Amino acid sequence: MSREIINPDSMYETVQYGFSHAAASTATKTIHCAGQVAWDKDYSLVGEGDLAAQCEQVFKNLTEVLAASGATAANVVRMRTYVVDYSPDKLEAIGPAIAAFYGNNLPAANTVLGVAALAMPGFLLEVEVTAMTDG
């Protein structure tokens, strides 16, 4: 079994925090993306206090990680969405962002989880995905 670690140069560095943006293993290629938050390449929080803006940055980051892994949203087989202080009204911001991420592709399985907090103050959303490609 082989393992490939993916840390795109266009993204913020993560190894010093104990994770990579994605890891892929092959038989068929499975891509396990670390939960993405609303940081830009310079560790600046995009959308302080604005769930919709954070959603946009999170899915931009996921798109970049998937592209660096040789995948797109069409290859996603599992999504987990963590939302600080979740309430159903927050889906008004999250739902359209997920739909934009998938575009014309059918969405993968997704679990939305309410959490008390995420890794850093100010993060409102974290999304992780698993994707598979033919290699």
Side-chain angles (χ1 to χ4, degrees), residues 57-103:
Q57 183 65 39
V58 163
F59 286 104
K60 177 183 176 194
N61 291 347
L62 279 170
T63 298
E64 286 192 45
V65 173
L66 288 169
S69 305
T72 69
N75 301 108
V76 172
V77 296
R78 185 78 171 101
M79 179 182 285
R80 286 171 198 82
T81 306
Y82 303 90
V83 185
V84 173
D85 296 326
Y86 178 78
S87 58
D89 63 302
K90 293 186 178 181
L91 289 174
E92 293 174 19
I94 298 166
I98 291 173
F101 171 71
Y102 283 113

Side-chain angles (χ1 to χ4, degrees), residues 6-121:
I6 295 98
N7 285 306
D9 291 337
S10 61
M11 300 288 298
Y12 53 89
E13 292 184 14
T14 60
V15 174
Q16 70 266 27
Y17 297 106
F19 69 98
S20 291
H21 287 285
S25 61
T26 55
T28 59
K29 189 173 181 180
T30 304
I31 303 154
H32 304 275
C33 295
Q36 294 297 311
V37 295
W39 260 350
D40 66 12
K41 182 177 172 63
D42 299 318
Y43 307 96
S44 295
L45 178 60
V46 175
E48 177 81 32
D50 182 340
L51 182 58
Q54 288 199 21
C55 285
E56 185 176 333
Q57 183 65 39
V58 163
F59 286 104
K60 177 183 176 194
N61 291 347
L62 279 170
T63 298
E64 286 192 45
V65 173
L66 288 169
S69 305
T72 69
N75 301 108
V76 172
V77 296
R78 185 78 171 101
M79 179 182 285
R80 286 171 198 82
T81 306
Y82 303 90
V83 185
V84 173
D85 296 326
Y86 178 78
S87 58
D89 63 302
K90 293 186 178 181
L91 289 174
E92 293 174 19
I94 298 166
I98 291 173
F101 171 71
Y102 283 113
N104 293 327
N105 302 296
L106 291 174
N110 183 15
T111 301
V112 176
L113 301 156
V115 297
L118 293 167
M120 300 293 286

